[in-house]
Amino acid sequence: GIGSQEALPIVKHANNEIRRIADEYPDQFVPVATLPFLTDEYLDEFDRCINDLDMAGVQIFSNIDGRPLDDETFLPFFEMADSKGIPLWMHPQLAEYGVTGDSLFYDKAFGWLLDTSVALSRLVFSGVMEKCPNLNLIAHHMCAMVPHFAARIETFYQAREFYPHADWADLSRPVEDYFKRFYGDTVLN
């Protein structure tokens, strides 16, 4: 795939076009930037989209080239969004979870929901949501599986000592408090 440096001019052009279309049809569109990467040069693009282009928020993805959103290199991005009170929209990406078959149907029908659920859980369990108490995140497809498995997710967190490989943060509040901070859109399909 295309790397973050090569993608940046394309991303800037796309964000400019989103702003232009929203200006042309102000009663129909609210401009939201898209950032496919969350590294340093994209922090500048985040700032440009919010401050110079006056966009309402930023769309990110559930993983960045297969790297989970709680990767420490992405924390400055979340801290910036948190400090500015800018809402984030999260759209799922495909990931290598062992969805079998040669059809993208299975990946998109089920893999996207899995990746969204994993991304939200990682943001909570790693402590990102605790470090960023004002972070507003809207997860596509109604927050995927999280609302349906809230009790199961909480039980696994409570039993984390049985999963020594899981490097989960000791959270100061009940797990459900962090998950309740996520918003789900109304798009099921």
Side-chain angles (χ1 to χ4, degrees):
I2 189 169
S4 64
Q5 290 293 329
E6 296 85 11
L8 189 57
I10 299 166
V11 170
K12 287 181 177 184
H13 177 74
N15 288 330
N16 288 340
E17 283 299 297
I18 291 168
R19 178 74 258 181
R20 184 189 65 73
I21 291 168
D23 287 343
E24 189 173 337
Y25 303 98
D27 295 338
Q28 296 178 22
F29 296 104
V30 174
V32 174
T34 294
L35 296 180
F37 298 96
L38 305 179
T39 51
D40 290 342
E41 61 272 13
Y42 285 85
L43 291 179
D44 293 338
E45 179 62 3
F46 175 98
D47 193 58
R48 183 183 82 87
C49 289
I50 299 306
N51 294 323
D52 298 345
L53 299 181
D54 194 30
M55 294 182 132
V58 174
Q59 175 185 247
I60 62 171
F61 297 96
S62 57
N63 71 72
I64 310 298
D65 275 346
R67 290 170 51 202
L69 292 182
D70 64 332
D71 187 295
E72 64 184 27
T73 59
F74 303 145
L75 185 58
F77 171 81
F78 290 111
E79 290 173 336
M80 179 180 270
D82 177 65
S83 70
K84 293 180 179 283
I86 302 303
L88 303 177
W89 280 264
M90 186 177 70
H91 193 280
Q93 286 284 74
L94 297 178
E96 297 295 325
Y97 288 117
V99 177
T100 58
D102 58 2
S103 170
L104 282 179
F105 166 80
Y106 297 106
D107 283 335
K108 290 187 177 182
F110 303 108
W112 273 7
L113 300 177
L114 178 59
D115 202 52
T116 298
S117 301
V118 169
L120 295 172
S121 297
R122 290 185 72 111
L123 288 172
V124 170
F125 294 149
S126 68
V128 170
M129 294 302 290
E130 183 157 71
K131 292 173 190 168
C132 300
N134 300 308
L135 188 63
N136 293 308
L137 194 144
I138 304 155
H140 203 35
H141 304 300
M142 303 170 74
C143 280
M145 296 182 284
V146 168
H148 306 286
F149 294 98
R152 181 177 174 84
I153 293 166
E154 187 169 348
T155 300
F156 270 81
Y157 178 76
Q158 291 169 351
R160 65 191 175 280
E161 67 268 10
F162 298 110
Y163 301 95
H165 61 280
D167 188 21
W168 291 345
D170 288 322
L171 303 172
S172 63
R173 302 176 55 112
V175 169
E176 69 181 31
D177 289 357
Y178 301 97
F179 281 98
K180 284 180 179 179
R181 290 179 37 211
F182 296 128
Y183 298 88
D185 68 10
T186 58
V187 178
L188 181 58
N189 287 317

